[in-house]
Amino acid sequence: METIFNINKTSRNVILRFLENHTLEQLNTIPEGFSNNSIWNIAHCIVVQQQLVYNLSGLSMMVSDDMIVKYKRGTKPEHKATQEEVDEIKFLLFSTLEQIKKDFVANIFQDYSEFTTMSGFTIRNAKEALEFNNYHEAVHTGIMMQIRKFI
């Protein structure tokens, strides 16, 4: 499990650099040919992690219903994120990861509703959800690296 968490922390540190090195305007910019922006990709990573690990385990998520509605799979930016939203996303970037680590140690992930991702990978438990999540975040980090070239 430690390797899974270390990979996720590394991913989140890469994502953090996007937040720290881009203005609010840049984070909200959707370049021509793209369907979303960097801040959407970042928040989407947080929301999907929560849905995959907690929601499918039948547990409460650490993100608001409003955040889920804005950033879940199938959504696109419908508004410009405010600095307050960016600050919340920045906080959640690591607080969610730290809580997941604590919850795995506490062994709270007992039940899981099997889920097949859009890429065809079937997740059967919370550990597999975290493993898949690392792939998912890497995909979105790659998209953000492409967006960066145009903002």
Side-chain angles (χ1 to χ4, degrees), residues 89-126:
I89 290 164
K90 188 175 181 179
F91 171 76
L92 289 168
L93 201 58
F94 292 98
S95 63
T96 53
L97 181 57
E98 290 305 313
Q99 188 61 50
I100 288 172
K101 287 164 84 173
K102 290 176 187 174
D103 290 342
F104 263 91
V105 169
N107 201 29
I108 71 164
F109 301 105
Q110 297 299 312
D111 298 320
Y112 198 83
S113 296
E114 189 175 289
F115 175 74
T116 300
T117 68
M118 289 177 62
S119 59
F121 182 78
T122 300
I123 302 170
R124 293 177 177 83
N125 56 55

Side-chain angles (χ1 to χ4, degrees), residues 19 24 27 39 81-93:
L19 291 172
L24 182 60
L27 291 170
I39 196 63
T82 65
Q83 186 59 54
E84 292 77 24
E85 288 174 290
V86 172
D87 293 344
E88 177 186 13
I89 290 164
K90 188 175 181 179
F91 171 76
L92 289 168
L93 201 58

Side-chain angles (χ1 to χ4, degrees), residues 1-149:
M1 287 300 297
E2 198 59 34
T3 300
I4 295 168
F5 290 124
N6 287 339
I7 291 168
N8 201 191
K9 185 175 182 182
T10 300
S11 170
R12 297 289 174 101
N13 279 317
V14 169
I15 292 170
L16 177 64
R17 287 195 291 277
F18 278 91
L19 291 172
E20 293 179 336
N21 295 324
H22 293 86
T23 66
L24 182 60
E25 181 180 339
Q26 289 173 318
L27 291 170
N28 277 300
T29 298
I30 303 173
E32 188 175 330
F34 289 81
S35 58
N36 51 49
N37 54 35
S38 293
I39 196 63
W40 182 91
N41 278 282
I42 295 167
H44 173 74
C45 286
I46 294 166
V47 165
V48 167
Q49 178 203 56
Q50 290 293 296
Q51 290 178 312
L52 289 174
V53 178
Y54 286 91
N55 191 49
L56 290 172
S57 294
L59 301 169
S60 296
M61 295 182 281
M62 293 178 273
V63 294
S64 68
D65 291 342
D66 182 55
M67 190 169 178
I68 293 165
V69 168
K70 289 179 184 175
Y71 300 108
K72 68 182 176 180
R73 180 179 74 180
T75 63
K76 61 182 181 179
E78 300 289 341
H79 77 293
K80 294 217 180 263
T82 65
Q83 186 59 54
E84 292 77 24
E85 288 174 290
V86 172
D87 293 344
E88 177 186 13
I89 290 164
K90 188 175 181 179
F91 171 76
L92 289 168
L93 201 58
F94 292 98
S95 63
T96 53
L97 181 57
E98 290 305 313
Q99 188 61 50
I100 288 172
K101 287 164 84 173
K102 290 176 187 174
D103 290 342
F104 263 91
V105 169
N107 201 29
I108 71 164
F109 301 105
Q110 297 299 312
D111 298 320
Y112 198 83
S113 296
E114 189 175 289
F115 175 74
T116 300
T117 68
M118 289 177 62
S119 59
F121 182 78
T122 300
I123 302 170
R124 293 177 177 83
N125 56 55
K127 179 180 180 280
E128 289 179 7
L130 281 175
E131 292 169 337
F132 178 81
N133 184 68
N134 284 339
Y135 160 78
H136 179 259
E137 288 192 16
V139 168
H140 285 278
T141 300
I143 292 168
M144 292 186 304
M145 289 177 176
Q146 290 297 318
I147 289 172
R148 179 176 57 195
K149 294 177 182 180

